[in-house]
Amino acid sequence: MDFEHSAKAQDYIKRAAAFIAEEVEPIEEAYHRELQAQPDRWVVLPIIEELKAKARAAGLWNLFRPVAHGGELTNVEYAPIAELTGRSLIAPEIFNCNAPDTGNMEVLLKYGTPEQQEQWLTPLLAGEIRSAFGMTEPGVASSDAANMAATAVLDGDTVLINGRKWWTTGIGHPNCKVIIFMGLTFPDSDNRHGKHTMVLVPTDAPGVKIERMLTTMGYADEPYGHGEVSFDNVRVPASNILVGPGRAFEIAQGRLGPGRIHHCMRLIGLAEKALELGIKRATSRSAFGKPLINLGGNRERVADARIAINQARLLVLNAAWLLDTKGPFGALSAVSEIKVVAPRMALSVIDLAIQLHGGAGMSDDFPLAAAWVGARTLRLADGPDEVHQGVVARLELAKYKEKNA
Ligand SMILES: Cc1cc2nc3c(=O)[nH]c(=O)nc-3n(C[C@H](O)[C@H](O)[C@H](O)COP(=O)(O)OP(=O)(O)OC[C@H]3O[C@@H](n4cnc5c(N)ncnc54)[C@H](O)[C@@H]3O)c2cc1C
């Protein structure tokens, strides 16, 4: 077993690390302050477009793109880059590697027709437009994707769409132009995984309405945000269907494997950043005659955080390697395992960093409170912990069934 990154990956790591340290991290605090000061926060500040252009010119662009679909890096090679971008809330977008666009681009790369790719994928890969993924609904328990009740009804050479989605991430972005919408097409089918269809719905189609933007524990995550969106007799051409009617589950499986692991890679970077901030703070302030870091069990807590981050990183890399070598189905348990482990690990490390900061850790003077909320949402987004534990348990127990057969 070789734990060394490939020469190609090492080159990208060096360049990405330098770019983030020199171009992104120094402006991040001022960026967030400036955005919060805008009368309308659902805007793209010029610095973002400037940095996107620089990252693109430096070859640090679309690095998530799978090798099988014209990309440069395997998942194992991409993992340390995604980890680095996870240190910052804006770096993923600057590298055109942010959720939910990467998952949506992967769908279009894997399943889009040449016409769909030309219309939506080309501008997404260029960072000119943004996209959203509309599966979850307020009216049904959406951890079971078979529950989705919004409809996508075939009507001649069109599809008629009705219903309501929420937690549609990215819908608030001024450049969000398309939603991958999951709707019920064959309610009477016996196949619970053959009832739904995925359709590309332009955000400016008549009948699409953002009812409200949601917040996560007070954070609106502008300019992307998470919206509740209604669809009232929205009609799009049948050529906007992805793969075919009733085939949404096939696509969901293909989309969420890599998308989930990218979140986990970024969480490792977020935890690294939090630990770094915590140690800097606790070594620079003293109480009771000692630096904070030497009080109580703080050194042991730091050691536990380091151990937890390293454990999670190895698990992420293992899942990435399985995705590269055995595909999404061969990596099914590993991806679900890491989807449970990474947010919990990040939450515990960020919590330690907040504690080491004292009251300051809860304020927006430091990025820790926002980081904690971001990590907390990932125990729900892309499937709650329990659904992933269910996958791990099912695969584990299947081994025993085979033995007893
Ligand atoms: C910040 C954020 C961003 C999101 N972005 C998107 C997006 O872009 N697009 C999108 O479509 N969705 C998005 N989601 C939605 C997310 O995927 C759903 O919230 C999630 O799938 C759970 O669905 P639900 O909220 O309907 O919870 P429910 O299905 O009502 O489940 C509630 C709880 O029930 C428990 N539960 C569920 N299943 C099981 C089980 N099998 N065993 C034991 N307990 C179980 C879990 O504790 C779960 O949290 C986002 C969510 C958040 C918070």
Side-chain angles (χ1 to χ4, degrees):
M1 190 178 289
D2 186 356
F3 283 97
E4 193 118 58
H5 285 298
S6 69
K8 193 205 278 179
Q10 287 187 35
D11 171 55
Y12 275 105
I13 293 167
K14 213 164 109 191
R15 290 191 291 123
F19 191 96
I20 291 167
E22 288 159 22
E23 306 276 2
V24 182
E25 286 182 312
I27 61 104
E28 190 156 13
E29 205 186 319
Y31 163 80
H32 289 299
R33 252 201 323 269
E34 194 182 335
L35 187 66
Q36 294 309 309
Q38 300 295 312
D40 172 9
R41 295 178 198 164
W42 304 94
V43 291
V44 182
L45 294 185
I47 185 72
I48 295 291
E49 292 302 337
E50 278 166 36
L51 288 178
K52 276 166 69 180
K54 269 194 189 175
R56 195 171 182 176
L60 298 169
W61 190 253
N62 288 337
L63 297 177
F64 75 95
R65 189 172 176 163
V67 175
H69 297 281
E72 281 277 307
L73 302 176
T74 62
N75 282 298
V76 168
E77 289 171 326
Y78 176 58
I81 315 291
E83 177 180 327
L84 286 166
T85 66
R87 295 175 59 86
S88 150
L89 284 178
I90 55 175
E93 175 179 10
I94 288 164
F95 287 14
N96 213 37
C97 287
N98 57 290
D101 294 302
T102 54
N104 294 340
M105 286 189 262
E106 287 203 30
V107 165
L108 287 161
L109 280 162
K110 281 187 195 162
Y111 306 105
T113 62
E115 293 73 28
Q116 291 168 348
Q117 290 183 342
E118 193 186 322
Q119 189 173 5
W120 304 115
L121 178 62
T122 303
L124 276 168
L125 286 170
E128 290 161 7
I129 65 165
R130 303 286 81 181
S131 60
F133 187 72
M135 188 180 88
T136 304
E137 299 176 11
V140 296
S142 303
S143 40
D144 179 358
N147 275 349
M148 281 342 124
T151 51
V153 175
L154 304 173
D155 185 14
D157 56 2
T158 64
V159 187
L160 186 63
I161 289 168
N162 279 290
R164 189 172 283 239
K165 300 286 179 182
W166 76 342
W167 292 113
T168 309
T169 298
I171 194 74
H173 197 286
N175 299 337
C176 183
K177 298 294 181 208
V178 64
I179 306 165
I180 298 182
F181 173 95
M182 181 169 169
L184 183 60
T185 305
F186 302 115
D188 300 325
S189 166
D190 292 336
N191 174 8
R192 83 189 291 268
H193 293 143
K195 298 182 181 192
H196 294 83
T197 304
M198 283 204 191
V199 189
L200 292 158
V201 180
T203 49
D204 62 1
V208 176
K209 184 176 173 210
I210 300 176
E211 297 289 344
R212 61 175 174 145
M213 295 306 292
L214 302 156
T215 55
T216 51
M217 295 182 168
Y219 290 93
D221 295 343
E222 308 99 332
Y224 280 81
H226 319 279
E228 179 164 345
V229 189
S230 62
F231 298 81
D232 182 16
N233 286 318
V234 178
R235 201 174 278 279
V236 298
S239 56
N240 283 24
I241 291 175
L242 282 158
V243 191
R247 295 180 67 181
F249 273 77
E250 247 171 85
I251 302 167
Q253 284 292 348
R255 179 187 187 279
L256 293 177
R260 281 171 183 153
I261 200 172
H262 295 167
H263 276 310
C264 298
M265 292 166 178
R266 285 190 291 266
L267 282 168
I268 308 286
L270 188 66
E272 284 285 4
K273 171 93 180 196
L275 183 59
E276 192 179 299
L277 290 173
I279 293 173
K280 279 187 181 156
R281 181 83 174 180
T283 49
S284 67
R285 284 161 74 91
S286 294
F288 307 102
K290 285 183 189 168
L292 298 176
I293 198 71
N294 290 337
L295 292 172
N298 285 340
R299 295 173 73 95
E300 288 75 10
R301 287 184 197 108
V302 164
D304 285 344
R306 167 52 55 214
I307 292 165
I309 293 174
N310 288 356
Q311 282 177 330
R313 179 184 288 112
L314 285 175
L315 216 51
V316 166
L317 287 169
N318 178 59
W321 176 77
L322 284 168
L323 262 182
D324 287 335
T325 53
K326 304 203 188 318
F329 287 99
L332 208 56
S333 180
V335 170
S336 280
E337 289 164 36
I338 195 62
K339 178 63 179 54
V340 174
V341 167
R344 291 182 182 181
M345 176 282 294
L347 283 169
S348 75
V349 174
I350 299 164
D351 186 68
L352 167 66
I354 290 175
Q355 198 68 14
L356 290 174
H357 276 72
M362 297 299 294
S363 77
D364 282 338
D365 290 358
F366 292 90
L368 295 167
W372 191 91
V373 173
R376 182 64 185 83
T377 62
L378 286 169
R379 290 192 58 206
L380 294 161
D382 280 358
D385 286 2
E386 294 84 349
V387 167
H388 291 289
Q389 288 169 308
V391 171
V392 176
R394 178 166 51 79
L395 293 168
E396 192 61 24
L397 296 177
K399 296 176 195 167
Y400 295 85
K401 251 191 217 154
E402 274 165 26
K403 276 185 199 153
N404 296 334

